C-alpha cells in the first residue's frame, strides 16, 4: 500500500450457481473511490455492468503498463475498437457441432451482446453529419460514400470510422451486417473532416448456394459511424454515433471473381 493510493486487481471467475452469494460480494468490492484508483475485472457476464468503465488492454507488451497508465491518467484519449464480440454468456452461442456461422460473430448473432465487435469509448465525443450515399447505382459500379465527422468534445482524440453493409433483398443467406471499410482519424476539439469510402462490387456481393460470388440488384443499407448500428445498453457506445442510408443497385446480376 502506498500513501497515494492502492491498486486493486480482482479476478472474477465463472462459478456454479450455488456460489453466487460469494460471487456477488466479490463483484461489489472494491468501490471505485479515490483510495482505489485501479480495478481490474475479468468477467464476461452482466456483472461487468456494475463497473463504470473497463480498459481492455489485451497483451500490452513491454510498454503496456505505460500505455495503460497514459489512458487511466488522461494523457491520451482511448480510441481502440474491439476485434471480436463479448457475449453475455456462452449459453447464447450454438454448440460447435459444425462450422455453420448462424448465431455466431457480429455478422450473424441476433442476440444482445455485452460489448460488440467495433465497440470502443473515448474521452471525447464525435458527431456525424451529411452522410452521402447515392440513392441508386448500377450493379458492378463503384459506390462513393462520404460523411462529415466532428470532434464535439473538449480533448483531442482519434476516431475509428466504420462502414457496415446490410443486403436487404439477397437471394440467399447473408450477414446481418458486414464491415466493409474503416478509417482511423485524429481530430482536435471542434475539428471537422470529411471521410470518404468507395464500395467496389465485391463489397456488395454475396456467395450463392452454388459457391459462386455474385453482386445482385436490390436494396442495401449503408451504415457509417464509430460503432455498429441498432444496438443499445452496454453495447451502444455513447461517445460516438452512426448514420444510415439506403442504396438501390439496378441492372442484371453480375458474377464477381473469387
Amino acid at each position: 500500500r502506498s500513501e497515494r493510493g492502492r491498486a486493486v486487481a480482482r479476478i472474477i471467475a465463472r462459478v456454479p450457481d450455488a456460489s453466487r452469494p460469494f460471487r456477488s460480494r466479490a463483484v461489489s468490492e472494491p468501490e471505485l473511490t479515490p483510495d482505489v484508483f485501479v480495478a481490474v475485472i475479468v468477467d464476461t457476464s452482466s456483472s461487468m455492468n456494475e463497473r463504470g468503465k473497463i480498459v481492455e488492454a489485451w497483451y500490452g507488451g513491454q510498454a503496456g503498463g505505460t500505455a495503460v497508465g497514459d489512458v487511466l491518467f488522461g494523457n491520451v484519449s482511448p480510441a481502440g475498437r474491439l476485434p471480436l464480440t463479448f457475449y453475455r454468456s456462452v449459453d447464447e452461442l450454438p454448440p460447435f457441432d459444425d462450422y455453420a456461422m448462424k448465431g455466431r460473430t457480429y455478422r450473424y448473432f441476433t442476440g444482445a451482446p455485452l460489448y460488440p465487435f467495433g465497440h470502443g469509448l473515448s474521452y471525447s465525443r464525435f458527431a456525424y453529419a451529411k452522410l452521402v450515399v447515392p440513392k441508386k447505382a448500377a450493379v458492378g459500379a463503384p459506390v462513393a460514400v462520404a460523411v462529415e465527422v466532428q470532434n464535439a468534445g473538449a480533448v483531442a482524440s482519434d476516431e475509428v470510422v466504420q462502414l457496415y453493409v446490410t443486403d436487404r433483398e439477397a437471394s440467399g443467406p447473408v450477414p446481418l451486417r458486414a464491415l466493409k471499410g474503416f478509417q482511423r482519424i485524429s481530430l482536435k476539439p471542434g475539428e471537422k473532416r470529411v471521410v470518404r469510402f468507395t464500395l467496389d462490387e465485391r463489397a456488395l456481393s454475396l456467395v450463392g448456394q452454388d459457391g459462386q460470388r455474385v453482386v445482385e440488384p436490390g436494396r442495401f443499407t449503408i451504415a457509417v459511424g464509430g460503432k455498429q448500428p441498432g444496438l443499445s445498453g452496454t453495447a451502444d457506445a455513447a461517445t460516438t454515433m452512426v448514420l444510415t442510408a439506403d442504396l438501390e443497385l439496378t441492372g442484371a446480376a453480375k458474377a464477381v471473381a473469387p
Side-chain angles (χ1 to χ4, degrees):
R1 176 180 297 190
S2 68
E3 294 180 358
R4 299 182 60 185
R6 57 193 174 93
V8 178
R10 182 64 60 93
I11 298 178
I12 313 298
R14 288 178 62 89
V15 296
D17 290 343
S19 302
R20 286 196 179 277
F22 170 80
R23 182 173 184 270
S24 296
R25 287 196 300 272
V27 171
S28 63
E29 299 172 359
E31 294 299 325
L32 296 182
T33 66
D35 185 48
V36 179
F37 62 89
V38 179
V40 180
I41 299 177
V42 179
D43 195 351
T44 56
S45 74
S46 59
S47 64
M48 293 177 76
N49 302 343
E50 299 177 21
R51 299 280 68 96
K53 300 293 182 290
I54 297 171
V55 176
E56 174 58 86
W58 303 103
Y59 177 71
Q62 182 177 358
T66 301
V68 171
D70 284 341
V71 170
L72 293 176
F73 290 100
N75 297 329
V76 297
S77 175
R81 294 298 191 271
L82 287 179
L84 48 74
T85 300
F86 280 88
Y87 304 96
R88 295 181 181 275
S89 170
V90 294
D91 297 333
E92 295 179 314
L93 299 174
F96 270 109
D97 295 333
D98 55 43
Y99 288 95
M101 294 305 297
K102 183 178 180 181
R104 308 182 196 280
T105 77
Y106 80 95
R107 298 188 304 162
Y108 298 96
F109 182 64
T110 58
L114 187 62
Y115 298 109
F117 173 90
H119 177 84
L121 299 177
S122 171
Y123 291 152
S124 192
R125 294 181 297 106
F126 293 92
Y128 286 71
K130 302 178 182 178
L131 175 60
V132 178
V133 177
K135 293 185 180 297
K136 293 185 178 182
V139 167
V143 176
V145 176
V147 68
E148 181 183 89
V149 186
Q150 180 183 20
N151 184 340
V155 298
S157 183
D158 285 4
E159 169 72 334
V160 180
V161 185
Q162 306 166 48
L163 186 153
Y164 294 90
V165 172
T166 298
D167 190 336
R168 298 292 184 186
E169 298 176 347
S171 61
V174 292
L176 299 171
R177 65 185 64 91
L179 179 71
K180 295 300 182 179
F182 67 92
Q183 294 186 38
R184 186 183 184 101
I185 60 174
S186 297
L187 295 176
K188 298 176 182 179
E191 184 181 359
K192 297 180 180 179
R193 186 178 304 174
V194 175
V195 178
R196 303 181 188 277
F197 297 91
T198 299
L199 296 174
D200 59 16
E201 59 183 14
R202 187 177 183 86
L204 299 170
S205 67
L206 61 88
V207 177
Q209 297 291 345
D210 58 0
Q212 300 300 309
R213 184 173 292 276
V214 62
V215 56
E216 301 177 331
R219 187 169 62 90
F220 296 76
T221 296
I222 310 300
V224 183
K227 57 188 177 182
Q228 290 189 50
L231 299 174
S232 60
T234 59
D236 187 25
T239 57
T240 188
M241 57 185 296
V242 61
L243 301 177
T244 63
D246 285 340
L247 162 71
E248 182 182 356
L249 293 185
T250 61
K254 178 186 176 183
V256 178

